[in-house]
Amino acid sequence: VFLEHGVDGVKIEVFETEIVSLLSENGIEICVDLIYPFLQQRDPQKSVVKMLADYVGIALNHQRHGAALLVFTMAPEEIAQLATEQLKIPAIGVGSGRYTDGQVLIAPEMLGMSKTALYYNRPYDTLDYFTLLYLPSRSLKTSFLAYWSGSA
């Protein structure tokens, strides 16, 4: 289906590599998001050392199976750093410290629009209803209002 519609790349959130191999072998670039809390939930009794080895191993395994880019979401800084240092592909961090190849900041979180306060987020402003009224684009204003009201 992807190839039929001209897809060049996809972002997926998986720990298993079979889908990564399949897509890569068919010429589709893959960005794999390794969401650290999901890994923790798989076996909460694991030691920190075992968790570190597993996370780095999973990252390297995805690279071997054809991932073009990895995203580390909410991984401890030390784990993201160790994995980034061992990878040949770029690693982007979302709340995973300063030692990845790049960082992603989520606009609604930066603007104080997130419904939850995440530990890694530094809000730069609080975008309130009255600020939204002055947005120049009607579609942007409508989108933000829908998001904020929970109807998006």
Side-chain angles (χ1 to χ4, degrees):
V1 174
F2 289 135
L3 294 174
E4 292 170 11
H5 295 316
V7 171
D8 294 320
V10 294
K11 176 188 169 281
I12 57 177
E13 298 169 355
V14 297
F15 290 102
E16 295 73 24
T17 56
E18 294 81 16
I19 187 72
V20 175
S21 294
L22 178 67
L23 293 171
S24 177
E25 289 166 4
N26 284 286
I28 296 175
E29 290 196 6
I30 302 103
C31 168
V32 179
D33 193 343
L34 297 177
I35 303 173
Y36 187 78
F38 290 162
L39 181 62
Q40 282 182 310
Q41 289 172 5
R42 290 171 74 180
D43 188 355
Q45 302 305 317
K46 276 188 186 174
S47 71
V48 172
V49 173
K50 179 75 172 121
M51 192 71 72
L52 171 74
D54 282 357
Y55 198 77
V56 173
I58 289 168
L60 291 169
N61 205 20
H62 278 298
Q63 176 181 267
R64 269 191 300 281
H65 283 84
L69 170 75
L70 288 177
V71 175
F72 299 135
T73 300
M74 296 173 31
E77 184 174 64
E78 299 80 9
I79 291 177
Q81 178 182 9
L82 186 59
T84 300
E85 289 170 352
Q86 294 185 39
L87 290 167
K88 292 181 174 85
I89 60 176
I92 305 300
V94 178
S96 296
R98 59 203 146 149
Y99 298 110
T100 56
D101 297 315
Q103 296 287 318
V104 170
L105 298 173
I106 311 300
E109 294 170 3
M110 289 175 24
L111 296 173
M113 296 174 63
S114 180
K115 294 172 179 52
T116 18
L118 299 169
Y119 73 90
Y120 61 83
N121 179 46
R122 176 174 34 172
Y124 288 89
D125 195 359
T126 301
L127 192 61
D128 61 16
Y129 177 79
F130 295 106
T131 307
L132 290 173
L133 294 177
Y134 294 101
L135 287 173
S137 163
R138 182 177 172 88
S139 63
L140 185 61
K141 187 185 307 186
T142 303
S143 296
F144 273 120
L145 287 171
Y147 174 83
W148 201 335
S149 70
S151 62

